[in-house]
Amino acid sequence: MDVSHLHTLRIGICDLNGQMRGKRVPSAYATKLSTGAVRMPYSALNVDLWGADIADSPLVFETGDADAVLLPTDRGPVPMPWINSPTALFPMTMHHDDGTPFVGDPRHALAAVLDRYAARGWKVIAATEMEFTLLDDSGTSPLPPINPLTQRRLVNESVLSMAELDAFDGFFTDLYDACETMEIPAQTSISEGGVGQFEINLNHQDALRSADDAWLFKDLVRGLARKHGFAATFMSKPYADDAGNGMHVHFSVVDKFGRNIFDDGGPDGTDLLRQAVAGCLAAMPTSTLIFAPHGNSYDRLVPGAHAPTAACWAYENRTAAIRIPGGAPAARRIEHRVAGGDINPYLMLASVLGAALIGIEDSITPPPPITGNAYEVPNVPQLAANWAEAITALETDPLITRILPADLIRYLAMTKRQEIARFADRPPETHWLSYLNAV
């Protein structure tokens, strides 16, 4: 993208909550970014949901709140169609002065996991299903949006309704156009099970690019919704009594010859597929915080609410946490169904893919696949029951330290404990406002 005609640019980097932190700079900076012309405190990636420093963080006073170097990824620059003035965003990553990656950067965490696959001559291909809810946030509580055609407020669920998709045609047309401009591979869109809830699938591609696009897509959806007169949110549970937003990920692994290592020519898949499933199951309960990073996330993780609560797997069964979809053997893949829409895409994919690789490295054998309703299967390991329990589980499990850097785990746990404390001082009926645009 040619940015020479633009007055200013955005420099953006992903923090531990998946929020974009950065700067607005003159367009002349574009030629200097690769030299480290832009710097930002290490602590900027380790702030809480509202952007406050973490108390007692080693990245603040202990180190003098030192600056790190920002370097551009291979993803940018990308246009920002939700901004009225023409501009572009350069996605960045954080490094030390000597060029080595900062371990508190979630994008580096995913890149490190993918490097381990590459060392085996493998490449991970991933696709995401992005669920979000359109709503009216003008009052003291979230409400369904006004139907642009009828000018009446949505009141009912409308699963796979063409009429509901068409009612919001202006928004979705702009969204698809914007995705094309940003080179985000938007595929099928549907009306989902919640009031004002929709899903758009992003096509399979290199896993790091898939995470980049999921991160950018969330800002795009929220920004374009505002231009159309309503809000959009990826929070896990916008309404207590309605469907929650998830972010399922599908992944397969190809070898240096382009062959899918999960494909055995039949419906069952290879031993490597089952080992990857076993790794995902082994790490799932203690990784709950990655898949459910906020207090609101646990309103979604309840039995019978179409979100998995137990670490089990199955073939063609959407009640299980891990599903092996049917179809052509060449497309055999794993669908991980636990994460909410409020996750950090880099941490989520790093955790899932890192766990799958551990399953392969350790040749773990999974339990038998379940049949029937996963919520009724006895003696299955459960996800963490609440936010505080999930924090403790993540920071004390040795398996997770084989996936994520110990310092990153420490920073994330400190962040989440501060958020618990700050939410405790806020009236529960206002919590949704903190999540609405942040996740």
Side-chain angles (χ1 to χ4, degrees), residues 344-426:
N344 179 320
Y346 299 108
L347 294 182
M348 184 266 190
L349 276 165
S351 299
V352 169
L353 300 179
L357 188 57
I358 286 174
I360 293 172
E361 290 172 343
D362 295 358
S363 299
I364 306 175
T365 299
I370 69 157
T371 58
N373 186 349
Y375 299 114
E376 298 176 352
V377 177
N379 304 317
V380 178
Q382 301 293 303
L383 301 181
N386 57 64
W387 203 9
E389 185 179 306
I391 298 169
T392 300
L394 185 80
E395 64 182 346
T396 58
D397 181 39
L399 190 62
I400 302 304
T401 59
R402 293 176 61 184
I403 302 171
L404 298 175
D407 282 345
L408 187 151
I409 295 169
R410 178 189 179 193
Y411 303 150
L412 183 60
M414 294 179 73
T415 300
K416 294 299 146 183
R417 287 203 169 93
Q418 178 161 306
E419 290 173 1
I420 287 179
R422 294 192 70 182
F423 269 115
D425 292 334
R426 295 167 184 250

Side-chain angles (χ1 to χ4, degrees), residues 128-143:
T128 55
E129 299 176 359
M130 311 292 295
E131 292 181 350
F132 57 91
T133 300
L134 302 181
L135 50 77
D136 174 0
D137 67 336
S138 61
T140 57
S141 62
L143 293 171

